[in-house]
Each structure stands twice: as C-alpha cells, then as structure tokens.
Amino acid sequence: MATKAKNTFADKKMFARAIKDSFVKLNPKIQAKNPVMLLVYISAIMTTILWVIALFGIKDAPTGYTLAIAIILWFTVLFANFAEAIAEGRGKAQADALRASRKDVDANKIPSVDKKDQITVVPSALLKKGDIVIVKAGEQIPADGEVIEGAASVDESAITGESAPVIRESGGDRSAVTGGTTVLSDWIIIQVTSEAGESFLDKMIAMVEGAARKKTPNEIALQIFLVAISIIFILVTLSLYTFSVFSADQAGIENPTSVTTLVALLVCLAPTTIGALLSAIGIAGMSRLNQANVLAMSGRAIEAAGDVDILMLDKTGTITLGNRQAYEFIPVAGVTDKELADAAQLSSLADETPEGRSVVILAKEKFGIRERQLSESNMKFIPFTAKTRMSGVDYDGNEIRKGAAQAIKEYIENAGGEFTEECDYIVKTIASQGGTPLVVAKNHKVLGVIHLKDIIKQGVKEKFADLRKMGIKTIMITGDNPMTAAAIAAEAGVDDFLAEATPEGKLNMIRDFQTKGHLVAMTGDGTNDAPALAQADVAVAMNSGTQAAKEAGNMVDLDSSPTKLIDIVRIGKQLLMTRGSLTTFSIANDVAKYFAIIPALFMGLYPGLSALNIMGLHSPLSAILSAIIYNALIIIALIPLALKGVKYRELPAGKLLSRNLLVYGVGGIIAPFIFIKLIDMMLVLFGLA
Amino acid sequence: MSSVIQYILYLAVLVILAIPLGAYIKKVMSGEKTFLSRILTPCENAVYKVMRIKKDEQMNWKKYLISVLIFSGIGLVFLFLLQMLQGVLPFNPQGLAGVKWDLSFNTASSFVTNTNWQAYTGESTLSYLTQALGLTVQNFVSAATGIAVLFALIRGFTKVKTDGLGSFWVDMTRIMIHVLIPLNLVIAIALAGGGVIQNLKPAETVSLVEPIAVSADGEIIENADIDVDANTVTVDGQIIDGAQIVTEQFVPMGPAASQVAIKQTGTNGGGYMGVNSAHPLENPNPFTNILEMISLLLIPVALCFTFGMSIKNKKQGVAIFMAMFIMLAIALSIIAVNEQAATPQLAQNGAVDLSMVDQAGGNMEGKETRFGIATSSTWAAYTTAASNGSVNSMHDSYTPLGGMITMLQMQLGEVIFGGVGCGLYGMLAFAILTVFIAGLMVGRTPEFLGKKIEPYEMKWAVLVCLATPIAILVGTGIAAIVPSVPDSLTNTGAHGFSEILYAYSSCGGNNGSAFAGLNANTVFFNVSLGLVMLFVRFLPIIGTLAIAGSLAGKKRIATTAGTLSTTNALFVFLLIFIVLLVGALSFFPALSLGPIAEFFGSIA
C-alpha cells in the first residue's frame, strides 16, 4: 500500500523488530495459542530443568548433551516466533503509516445541509453517526461518510497509495469518502457513517496489523490434524520408554533410553515445521492481498477465494477496454474502402469522443490517410445532437454525415435518396456480430459502414482458458442486449454471460449458482450491487463505490480495478496450497528422522538394528543432535517460502497435486536424509559429537 | 509356480464373488426388489410389525448412535451374565462351570465388538447354550451393526441439507434377513457337506491307534518305546520316571458348521475350537478351507462395490476397493515370500525343502501339512486384513517379517477391507484425511464427494483413524511395565515383546487373532484387552455417525476441473500412502523392538 517493501529481508528495521518480537513471543500466553509449538516450548523448559538437575549430579544422559538439546529446542521456539514476527512485520509497518493519517482533526459540524454557515468546531473523535460536516479544500476528511452535497477532488493516497486525486460527489456511485483522506479542491458536505474507532481506517489498521486475525475454519481443521498427530507422537515416545524398559529388562541390561533423548525424538516427530509456519503462512497470505491493494475483512474471505469456481466479471474494464473502437470499414458496391475511410476520417476530425478518435486512427493505420489540419480547407463541422443523431462535416460544397443506421436512413430518404438493401444487410451483419454499425453518407449517398466494436483486452482469452483449466467458470456481466453480449462473450471466451444485467438479475444468478453447489465471486460498486455483494461468497467492493457496497462486500479493492478478482483468487489458492504443501513436507520429514533416531536409540540393545542406520551417522548422540538441529533449521529455511507462497500455476487439480506432491512430498522424504547426514558430518568435523 | 497360481486364484475368486454380492446388498439396503424378495420381504415386514419398528423413520445421528449403543450395551451385559451363570443354565451336557468375571467381561466385549479375541478355549470353557445364544447371536448382530453404521455414513454423503440417516432398526433387520441369514445358511450347509461337524452331541472319547507318552510336565516324549501293559516308557533303554501313557483322545462335538459360517462371513473369527480353523473338525480339507477363506473377506470386499453403487459413483467404490486390494496383495506377497523362503537357519545345508513345487516347503512350523505355505499365508493375510482373526496356522511361528505384516495390517486400523462395515467406514475416515491434505495442495479447502470437510469432520475423522494407534500404544505401553506380564510369555527378548504387541494389535484392530504363545487369560490382560476392544469399536462408531450427521446437513458442492479427483490412480496411491504413513509413524519404534530386531538378529 503506502509503502511497498520489495524485499522483506532488505528492510533492516523490520528485521530488528522481528528479532525483538521473537523474544517477546516467548510469553506462555502467546505460546498457548499454537499447540504444536507449545509442545516444543514445554520440551525446552523440561530439558532445561533436566540440565539444571544434571548439574547437581542427577542425570540419565551426559550433561553437555542435555544442554545442547535444551539450547536447540529454545532456538526451535525462537525460530517459530521469528517466522510469525517477520510475517507480521510488513503489516505493522503499514499500520504505522496508516495510524499517522488517523490523527485527530477539527471537524466543521453543521446542523443541516441548508445551514452551511452555522459551523461548530468539534474534535473528529467526538463525531457521531449521522452528524453532518462540511470539508473544504485543504482540509482532512474527519470521518467516514457519504457525500450528500457538492463534489470535490480528494487525495486518497493515505489509504490507497495512489497519488492521483479522485472525484467524490453526491449521488451516484462515487459518494463514499474515507476519514483520513484530504480534500484537494472545492468542498463537500458529508454525513458521517461511522464513529471514531469503527472507521474504515481503524478496520484497515487492525486488519493489516493482524490484530483482528482470527483462525480460519481451515486453519482450525488443520490444527486439529496437527494436534492429533502430536498426541500420537506423545504416545509413541511414552510407550517407547516402557518398551525400552521391558526390552532392556529381558536382555538384562540397563535401559538405554534417556528422557532427554525421548524429548528430542518427540520434538523431531511432532509436525513442528508446519506448526511453526502455520500462522506466518496465514499472515503472509493476508499481506500479499494487502500488497495487491485489496483489504479483506476476514481471513475466511481469502480462503473462500481459493474455493471460488464462478467469477462474475463486469464486461467493461475487465473483459473489454472501456469504449468501442472502429474495427473495420465496409464500403457498399462501387465505393473503395479508401474512399470510405477518407470520408469517415474527415467527418470524425472534430469528434473528440473515443469512438471518433478511433475512426481517425483506424483510417490512418489502414490506409495511411494523414490527419488533416482543421484549417486546411473551408470546413464546417456538424456536431452530434440528440435530435439529428448524426455528426459530420461540410466542406467545399460536400456534405458528409455519419450516424446510426436509422438516422442516416431518414436523412437520405428525406433528401429523396435511397438507403440500399445492401447497406441494410451490412448493418444487420455487424449488429449480429455484437458490433455497432455507423453508416457514412456523402452528399446523400451511402458510402459504407464503420464497424465499431468492443475491443477485448489483450490476453483475457488466454486468462479465461487458464481459469477454465482450474475449474473456474467466468461469467460476463453486461448491460448490452443479448445479441451483442453473446458475440462478445464468444470472442472473449467466457463461459457464460448475463445480458441486460439488473441488480436483481445478478442476485438471482448468484443464488442459482449457489444452489447448484458453486461458490461465486463478484465485484461491485453501486448501492444497487449491495444485495448481490452480500449474497456472493467472495464480494469485492470497489473503494470508489458507495458505503453500502463496501459494507456488503467482504473485501475492498482500494484500486477499484475490475480485474482484481482474478488476483484475489490466485492469492487465495496460493495460501491454501502453501499450507498443504508445507504440511506434507513436514510429515514426510519424519521418515528420515526415524531412520536417524531409532537405530541410535537401540543399537546397543539389538546390534542388528544398526542395519537401519542407512545414513551411516557417526554415533547415537550425533544422530539425535543432527536430527534435532535439522528440525530447527528447516523452519528458518522455509520462512521465505511461507511468506512468498508456493509457486502458483493455473493447472487442473490433478496436475497441481502431482506436481506439489513431487516437490513437497517426495522432496520432504529425501531432503532430511541429505541434510541430517551433512549436519552429522559437520558435528564430527568440528569435534562436537 | 504352482503356488503363485494358487494365490492368484484365491484373489480372483474373491473379487468375482464379491461384485454381485455388493450389488445385492445395495438393492437390499435401498429397499429395492431382489430375487429373494418374494420370500424374505414378508419376513422383514413381520419383524417390523412384531417389534413395532417404523419402516420409514429417519433418525438423526444422535438417535442413530443411541440406538447402536443401547443395542450393543444390552448385548454386552447379557453375554456377560450368560457366561457367569452358564453352570446353572440348561444345554450344558459337559457340566461346565460359570466363567470367571474377568474372562466373562473379556469375552463379552470381544464378541459384542466383532473382535472375537478368545482368551478361553471354546470346547472346554463354554456350554452349548453360551455358544449358541451368546456368541453366535453376537456374531450375527455385531456384524450387522457394522454394516448399519456404514450405511448411515453413506446416507450422510448422499443426503443434502437434512438430518435423517435412516433407521438403525430397519437397517439391522434388512441386513440380518436379506444378507447374513441366507448367505450363512448356504455356507453352513456347504461346510457341513464338506465335513465340518454339526451336531448337538456331547464330546466323545476315542481310542488312539498308537498310544503316546507324556512326561510329568506335559511334554510329549519323542522316540519313546511304550509298553502299555507294563505301563512303562523307555527312551534309549532308560525308563522315564513319572511318564504317562495316553491311549484315548478327547474329541469335541457340537454345532460347529453353523458357527463357523458366521464366524467367517461376519469377520468375527471366534473359533468353535480353541485352535480355530486349524482344527481338523472345524476345517477338515482344502474344500472347506477355500470356502472359509473366501467367505472371510467376501462381505468387506462386496461392501466397497455397494458403497460405489449407493453413492451413484461406482468409480469411487472401485477406487477404495483398489486401495485396499493393492495393500492386501502387497501384504500377501510379503508374507508368502518370507514363509516360503523361511529363515537362514532352516535353509542351512538344505535342512528344509524350500521349493514351491510338489510337497509344501518353507517355514512349516505352526502350519498344517494339509494346507501348506500358500493357503496358510493367504489365510493369514486375509484374516488380519479383514478384522476376522480366525486362523488356520499359528502366527506366532511365522518368520519375523511374515509375522510383522500380520501385525501391521491390524495396526493400520483394520482398513484393508477390515471388519464388515467398520473396515470401510474406517477407510473413508482415512479418505477424509487424504482429501484434507491433498485438497489443500490444489488450492481448495478440502471436500469429499461434494461435501466440505471442516473442523467438525476433521476432529472426528482423526479420532476414527487414530483410535487404533492410541489403543495399541497405550495398551502395550502399560503392559510392558506390568510386573506379571513376562510370566504370560512363552518367549523372551524381541519375540516376547512381539507377543504382547500382537495381543494389543489384535484387540486394538478388533481383529481377535492370537499370536499364540501368550497366556492372555489373566485379570490384567482380560480387563485391559477388553477395554481396548470396546474403545476401538465404539469411538469410531461415534465418530462415523457424527460425521454422517454433519455431512447430511451440508449442501453439495459442484464438481469442476478444479475439484480434486478422488477416483483416479493418484488418489488411490495417496490414500495407501496416508494409511501406511500413519501406521508406520505410529508403530515403527515398537516394531523395531519386536519383529524388526528379531529379523536383523536372525540374519546377523
């Protein structure tokens, strides 16, 4: 948003704060929130106590070894804290910037719109819902509100990071203003919609800072799974102690298994990698969304974005460029296309509408007809009026007109000319292709037709094809008539369309999809979009939209960009994929850890078990130390991945799964074998074990 | 080669018979007409009338669960009292006394939970009344309960936004009347025809053709010269003091064939005789053997196909079947190879014939010569895959790795086909865990068969999946430090540990097979194993019904290209992987102190 940190690690201040926070988070109350790490925390305390007792001579393992295990366990906890702290870092920096703009200002309260001059100055913190204030150029808007009179340009960079001012005016869909933004010119009268402490800015600060972060249902479900696995491992280690006692007893030797080693085994086996990174993944997902300038009202909304399989996209701005453009000149028989283009360009020289400009440009591109100077000859431009529904130019006794087919037809027939059937056919053909025909006539004779067309944005067709591969259907929403809509839909490659869309139409379509078991995402800005936004599973309200729309949605797009929906889906999916992949990695790691620790534990009891020491680790102590050091370091190693998210591709589910399984499942089995062996070699090299 | 053909034949016959049975069960449970409806449906309706069962009642999950618990609870108490009081009850021609409380509790838990762990010897402990009215009845209804709970779960998947899971009583009635009774009638008659005893006579005594000598402490004396008239036993010219000469043999009698049929089809496994289907009167020849062996896995395999048809997604049924079948085939191969190859000690200097041709070779200790390696290994694989637990050979005498596989199959939670009904619902809980992990990896919150998997389902699914590891680890963990336990063991060291681990694995998987070698009839074992059996039976039932209730209340999510396929080879592979991973992570340390240590010890 306001500051886009390109590289998390580059920011030294953030880094220092994260290190400090890692220690602050050692508070048992904070640790208690993450059961898996709580287990490591308790284990660290336990081994520390064992070490202290060992100093007094009561020990079942070498004192130095117990100390080493205790230190590594403390580092494991700190690394987990650091992962969370660094993920929160970016949000905290944003929150600080936002807080700066939330300062208390004086508000010019007025009793009603009619009494603009009866100003009472009150602090913005004391404004109540429904109060009316006037804000003039140069003043900060004191609270969130709805513009009820006036229009002004407003600098919203404090929240959007976008420096270009935006227009906010009463009525229509651009009436919402946000407290903390500044009026640059003119004045507006605002009705306050939220009180201090509940404003959009407050919500935003809480969201980016992660203070309002609640565990999402999926996080809870995953945590249940992790806790269950941890419980199994607690039972595995506890029972292993008694098994060891039994076996040693049978063999008539001393029990080879120390409590310290069992604690180390427990921590190694528990899913600490994912346990340590779980909350960092969630925060980072939220943070990525913030970086895309989207503010989610809950973590749940991001997860829902991953599940969405229907995207309802507005045609204009998302699928097509804003306006229609000249696409082709179709002359009638006896007229060359160059003649037509020439006439069309002449008639459009003074036409400043995007359509008019596009005619001029097309003629230049296709036929090299230069734009002529308006003063070139004795030209008189006839502007478009609602009455004539034509525009054109008169020059040197010639009369060129262009306009809708019906208007030109009347113009020609009134002059006694004939609107040919050929021309009629061309007009109908263009209309059936979803285009808009503009007929050009010179001296009451039809020259041909300009085909104006909605221009599909580059790359959208491919984008939609990718989305389809992932099982996401795209629905185009447009006010066009069904024929035009169908033609554009076919060209853009959307799966379906809603023509002549009304707010009720949208709402019904969403409901319809939902009853069939789909999850629907949409964007909206107007007040009349509010019901549909409230119904949709993922509802992105434009920041430029009305207050009602913003309240009905579960995300706000600060850029007010209609294509944002696709990014949101990507971020949602990436978040879930990261969570799943790291869980798989974490559990797959256990295979290697068993092969490191079990032979180390019982080689003395059953020498044959040394066959399981396939890594050829140096000694039982070095094996256990290597495994637990690996366990701690892998957390640090995976922080960048947790923050960035796993690589995202638009692929069908099956392919995504096999790819991620290969990388994180198979990789998760192999990696620890290599690294534990390396750590073991280092320990031996430095004579530490 | 000949034995490889045998293995393939056993697997093929099983699947070929299971598919039509699966279709039949599906029809029965959805109330459709079958070729037996004309005879059986009137019986079904009569039961409803007499028992006042409402045929179209829709119970919510809690009511369904309470019905299951009450039904099983009454069975438990009844069976407990029946054993304690059998001494004063009729149909007790041998005049057997009442059973001790701890053994009664153990046996009652064992049969109500479809485990059929037998700490007693049937022919010398239980009266005909206890066998018929207690054990046989439980053999039927505990099996039917498993199928009923499975169907409640199936309805959880198929129903949308409702809370009714059907009626437990209707489900029980249909399974009993349309499936278990006719199927067992056919099998019992076939078994009796094949030579399994079926009568109500008291045990008989017959004269031995050749008398044998037994030493004072009960061991048979080999190579002894026996003089019956002089009552002396001499070995190498030395007279053995205190030796006894045995000239007569005790031959048990009774209604075996009928009990053997349901023992197999209901994945019960409680033998009529102490040594189960290794006994020549319970399983006399290869014909009865193949019949018993196939029937022990028949319903669990069939239910996979029933599941697919019931949820209108046959591919899903096949996928679950494939996952189970592949694991079974792997387990069978490992057992077969290890038993055939025997141990280095047996192979030494060609002391034992290990070839697969002609006369059975390999590790024949504890196996019947009339069955050989192939049939014994197949039975061992089948019976520990299905939580059946009947045996035709002694698993205690298997090679370390062969014996480990039988143990591991039980430790996996009896989901490789498993017990009737419960194996499949256990596997579906594993499928839920699998879609949870895999679903996240494709960027969606997890769903299975169109239903979202949320914290509530996850909570119960992990409990269903982990009940077995929890019970086995806690049970074995405590048993390992109980001072009296080593006295119950026949072996010391790693094999001794295996004996304890096997007992808790068997009860913790509701399997019931015995490793032999362990004298489990002590108060500690009876009570602890009884509790383990109850825990691993009812916790998953509660979990499964809770999941069913929650799923039935959800809407169905549409399937798109972004939906994780749960019917393709990748999913089958993942499901197998998750099942093995949970098993391996839970039991690798324990197994390495038992069979793995033993294996490395034997090759060292």
Side-chain angles (χ1 to χ4, degrees), chain A residues 217-218 220-222 224-225 228-229 231-233 235-236 239-240 242-247 250 269 300 303-304 306-309 468-472 514-519 537 572-574 576-581 583-584 587-588 590-591 594-595 598 602 605-606 608-609 611-612 652-654 656-658 660-661 664 669, chain B residues 433 436-447 452-456 458-459 462 466 469-470 472-474 476-481 485-486 489 491-494 496-497 500-501 555-565 568 570-571 573-574 577 581-582 584-590 592-594 596-597 600-601 604:
Chain A
N218 180 259
I220 295 170
L222 180 56
I224 290 171
F225 177 66
I229 295 188
I231 290 173
I232 278 293
F233 288 133
L235 295 178
V236 166
S239 64
L240 192 57
T242 74
F243 297 168
S244 172
V245 168
F246 174 87
S247 301
Q250 293 266 312
L269 295 178
R300 203 179 182 137
E303 276 172 14
D307 284 347
V308 156
D309 56 0
R468 196 170 307 117
K469 271 192 246 157
M470 301 190 80
I472 298 172
Q514 284 175 336
T515 46
K516 284 181 197 150
H518 294 282
L519 276 102
D537 299 284
K573 283 200 179 291
Q574 203 182 20
L576 295 171
M577 275 158 59
T578 309
R579 211 176 266 164
S581 299
T583 305
T584 308
I587 295 169
D590 281 354
V591 177
Y594 263 139
F595 277 100
I598 294 297
F602 298 118
L605 189 56
Y606 296 114
L609 285 179
L612 291 179
L656 269 180
L657 179 62
S658 30
N660 283 335
L661 265 184
Y664 299 99
I669 292 176
Chain B
L433 291 198
F436 186 81
I437 303 292
L440 282 179
M441 275 197 285
V442 302
R444 296 267 291 244
T445 62
E447 65 202 55
K452 277 267 172 248
I453 305 301
E454 288 168 301
Y456 187 82
M458 227 16 218
K459 183 175 74 189
V462 295
L466 299 182
I470 290 172
I472 298 174
L473 288 172
V474 171
T476 319
I478 294 172
I481 47 168
V485 165
L489 305 177
N491 291 281
T492 56
F497 179 71
I500 306 176
L501 184 61
K555 66 174 187 176
R556 199 191 326 275
I557 312 283
T559 308
T560 69
T563 313
L564 176 80
S565 165
N568 59 13
L570 186 62
F571 180 79
F573 164 78
L574 253 185
F577 186 75
L581 191 76
V582 170
L585 293 181
S586 306
F587 294 107
F588 185 67
S592 57
L593 285 177
I596 296 178
F600 284 118

Side-chain angles (χ1 to χ4, degrees), chain A residues 497-526:
Chain A
F497 63 88
L498 178 65
E500 286 165 358
T502 57
E504 298 77 50
K506 283 194 215 177
L507 183 62
N508 289 336
M509 193 169 199
I510 294 174
R511 283 206 178 124
D512 206 39
F513 276 124
Q514 284 175 336
T515 46
K516 284 181 197 150
H518 294 282
L519 276 102
V520 185
M522 71 167 285
T523 46
D525 52 4

Side-chain angles (χ1 to χ4, degrees), chain B residues 24-25 28-31 39-57 59 64 67 71 140-149 151 155 166-182:
Chain B
Y24 174 79
I25 297 176
V28 166
M29 295 309 286
S30 52
I39 313 160
L40 298 177
T41 308
C43 306
E44 183 190 333
N45 290 331
V47 171
Y48 295 150
K49 218 168 185 181
V50 174
M51 310 282 283
R52 300 194 182 180
I53 295 169
K54 278 179 273 168
K55 200 177 166 182
D56 41 14
E57 184 178 2
M59 297 179 171
Y64 203 103
S67 309
F71 183 75
F140 274 95
V141 296
S142 67
T145 304
I147 302 178
V149 171
F151 269 87
R155 293 183 195 118
S167 161
F168 174 66
W169 310 115
V170 171
D171 289 343
M172 288 294 281
T173 311
R174 284 187 175 157
I175 297 158
M176 289 294 294
I177 291 180
H178 290 270
V179 183
L180 293 181
I181 292 175

Side-chain angles (χ1 to χ4, degrees), chain B residues 330-332 334-335 384 400-410:
Chain B
I330 294 171
L332 173 56
I334 299 177
I335 296 174
T384 49
L401 293 187
M404 179 177 83
I405 296 300
T406 62
M407 214 184 296
L408 186 63
Q409 289 207 84
M410 301 185 291

